[in-house]
Amino acid sequence: MSQTTTQRAATRTGAVVEFSGVAKRYGTHLALTEFDLTLRAGELVALLGPSGSGKTTALRVLAGLESCDDGGIRIDGDDVSALPTSRRDMGMVFQSYSLFPHLSAGENVEFGLRMRRVPAPERRERAAAALALVGLDAHYDRFAHQLSGGQQQRVALARALVTQPRVLLLDEPLSALDAKVRVQLRDQIRRIQTDLGITTLFVTHDQDEALAVADRVAVMRDGRIEQVGTPEELYTRPATPFIADFVGLSNRLPGVVRHGFAEVHGVVLPLLDPSHPDGAVQVFVRQEDLTLAPAGPGEAGPADQSGRSLAGTVLISSFLGSLRRTSVRLAQGGTVVVQHDVRDRLQVGDSVMVRFSGAPVPVQAAS
Ligand code: ADP
Ligand code: MG
């Protein structure tokens, strides 16, 4: 990137984006309702949720591609709800590469500048700089069919950034790519976003991606935000059973809450919310909050002396490179999945003790 453009980009401070009370209806379907979210200056917020939860609608409303039926959107304090897309000053990247096939990579990147009537020599210089930013300076003259999927998305990112927009909007930008390229480009997006300090909304249905890339994650469900927090907050303190289930890999076990503790087959666990009322519940236990030990000869009973373990039998054990994931059928019924060290090798049919770490658990009243 040229010196002037780099400096201009790096000294910008990102915009503050506020959704307040936004609603969007399609016919009778409420795609967004009471949608409140603030993106701080320079922050990357991931909008995470299952398919159909309203993520794309929220992004399109912010971009001005859809109108709000209620509520409004402010950027740096100014109400932009009535402004057309062209005047909102946003860069966008979508899942499909959407490059113009008859234009070279460089010409694709130049497109937004051409629309703004930037003179040709400056256009070319800025497009080259934007391509350099995504590591594609040598690909200016290539056409889309001469680029890999990951390279096409990098061109799309350069095209979105070349006009130095106030806000960057990414809608599932990595979903069409294979796993390795997805992680590389995710990290590259994060690095560039941090360097430029551009406020970014990153839509994804992939929780690993959201946790890895974001300053904060907003989890959506049925057109609303269920929880907003840092990746760590969401993971360790899920506000609702939906979040506990959606973020991370948990086992659901039947249990009973009594006096602020959950009991699962006789194992007593602290509650994330100790004020949860007594009664039958589903208990969420993370795969990494369980460990396995060979069942010793003295441990014939279904629960061991410490009160923290349950007996079971290995059903399947999968080697996943950096870890191993093993399913165990519990003596009392039901199956748990345990994530553990690759060096703990287990055979199908082995008798094991499943030990609970004792980390506080979220629970959901049994229906
Ligand atoms: P997500 O991006 O989280 O998968 P969307 O925002 O695309 O979800 O969609 C939210 C809901 O709104 C879905 O039920 C979807 O079917 C509906 N929807 C989205 N766009 C339209 C549209 N143009 N017309 C009618 N329904 C729509
Ligand atoms: Mg979508």
Side-chain angles (χ1 to χ4, degrees):
M1 190 161 207
S2 79
Q3 201 53 26
T4 49
T5 321
T6 312
Q7 281 168 354
R8 230 182 312 163
T11 51
R12 284 165 62 93
T13 45
V16 176
V17 175
E18 297 164 87
F19 291 85
S20 46
V22 172
K24 177 69 192 173
R25 246 173 254 108
Y26 292 114
T28 55
H29 181 77
L30 260 177
L32 289 181
T33 175
E34 295 168 36
F35 186 90
D36 291 307
L37 178 65
T38 300
L39 285 76
R40 301 170 189 146
E43 188 179 39
L44 191 158
V45 173
L47 206 49
L48 171 69
S51 175
S53 57
K55 307 180 297 294
T56 293
T57 304
L59 179 137
R60 290 177 61 84
V61 164
L62 173 54
L65 297 166
E66 303 282 355
S67 58
C68 316
D69 292 319
D70 205 354
I73 291 175
R74 289 176 183 278
I75 300 181
D76 282 340
D78 298 328
D79 190 338
V80 299
S81 310
L83 288 184
T85 303
S86 57
R87 294 189 46 210
R88 293 201 191 183
D89 193 12
M90 299 194 175
M92 288 177 245
V93 178
F94 301 103
Q95 176 178 343
S96 54
Y97 311 130
S98 66
L99 298 183
F100 300 116
H102 59 288
L103 298 180
S104 68
E107 288 163 343
N108 264 281
V109 177
E110 281 187 44
F111 187 78
L113 301 173
R114 189 186 289 268
M115 294 291 102
R116 286 168 171 75
R117 304 189 191 288
V118 174
E122 183 185 341
R123 244 175 23 224
R124 177 148 187 120
E125 189 198 333
R126 286 173 64 181
L131 281 173
L133 185 66
V134 299
L136 288 179
D137 24 341
H139 294 67
Y140 196 98
D141 295 318
R142 295 264 187 102
F143 289 88
H145 72 269
Q146 297 169 314
L147 298 167
S148 69
Q151 288 171 333
Q152 289 184 53
Q153 275 311 59
R154 282 151 68 192
V155 174
L157 182 64
R159 189 175 60 180
L161 290 171
V162 75
T163 57
Q164 302 191 338
R166 287 197 289 178
V167 181
L168 180 62
L169 305 180
L170 308 167
D171 192 354
E172 310 264 7
L174 309 174
S175 300
L177 305 172
D178 65 61
K180 203 160 192 170
V181 175
R182 203 152 66 213
V183 170
Q184 284 169 352
L185 187 48
R186 178 188 84 196
D187 293 348
Q188 192 177 23
I189 288 173
R190 177 55 159 163
R191 215 165 38 241
I192 292 169
Q193 183 271 333
T194 310
D195 286 351
L196 297 181
I198 186 169
T199 308
T200 300
L201 188 64
F202 187 116
V203 164
T204 178
H205 67 276
D206 180 328
Q207 52 122 345
D208 289 336
E209 197 167 286
L211 296 183
V213 84
D215 292 302
R216 288 187 304 149
V217 180
V219 184
M220 287 194 72
R221 179 192 195 186
D222 298 337
R224 295 170 202 268
I225 290 182
E226 185 123 335
Q227 185 175 5
V228 187
T230 63
E232 261 178 293
E233 281 165 357
L234 285 184
Y235 199 84
T236 55
R237 302 205 63 82
T240 65
F242 172 78
I243 306 278
D245 209 19
F246 193 71
V247 178
L249 294 170
S250 289
N251 294 285
R252 273 168 181 264
L253 295 162
V256 180
V257 167
R258 281 194 207 99
H259 312 302
F261 289 87
E263 204 179 308
V264 178
H265 299 314
V267 173
V268 177
L269 300 167
L271 289 171
L272 257 185
D273 170 16
S275 67
H276 195 281
D278 288 1
V281 290
Q282 298 271 325
V283 178
F284 297 90
V285 181
R286 296 222 181 263
Q287 293 184 1
E288 70 273 24
D289 282 334
L290 297 172
T291 47
L292 295 176
E299 293 172 319
D304 76 342
Q305 301 304 320
S306 72
R308 274 282 166 75
S309 303
L310 297 173
T313 311
V314 172
L315 286 176
I316 183 169
S317 184
S318 310
F319 173 74
L320 300 174
S322 56
L323 55 90
R324 192 175 273 280
R325 190 167 284 146
T326 298
S327 296
V328 176
R329 177 179 293 134
L330 298 176
Q332 279 114 328
T335 303
V336 290
V337 179
V338 182
Q339 198 169 292
H340 60 96
D341 197 301
V342 278
R343 286 163 296 196
D344 300 336
R345 305 197 57 184
L346 295 153
Q347 306 293 329
V348 173
D350 281 356
S351 292
V352 288
M353 297 303 291
V354 178
R355 185 176 166 82
F356 292 70
S357 73
V361 289
V363 298
Q364 174 175 32
S367 46

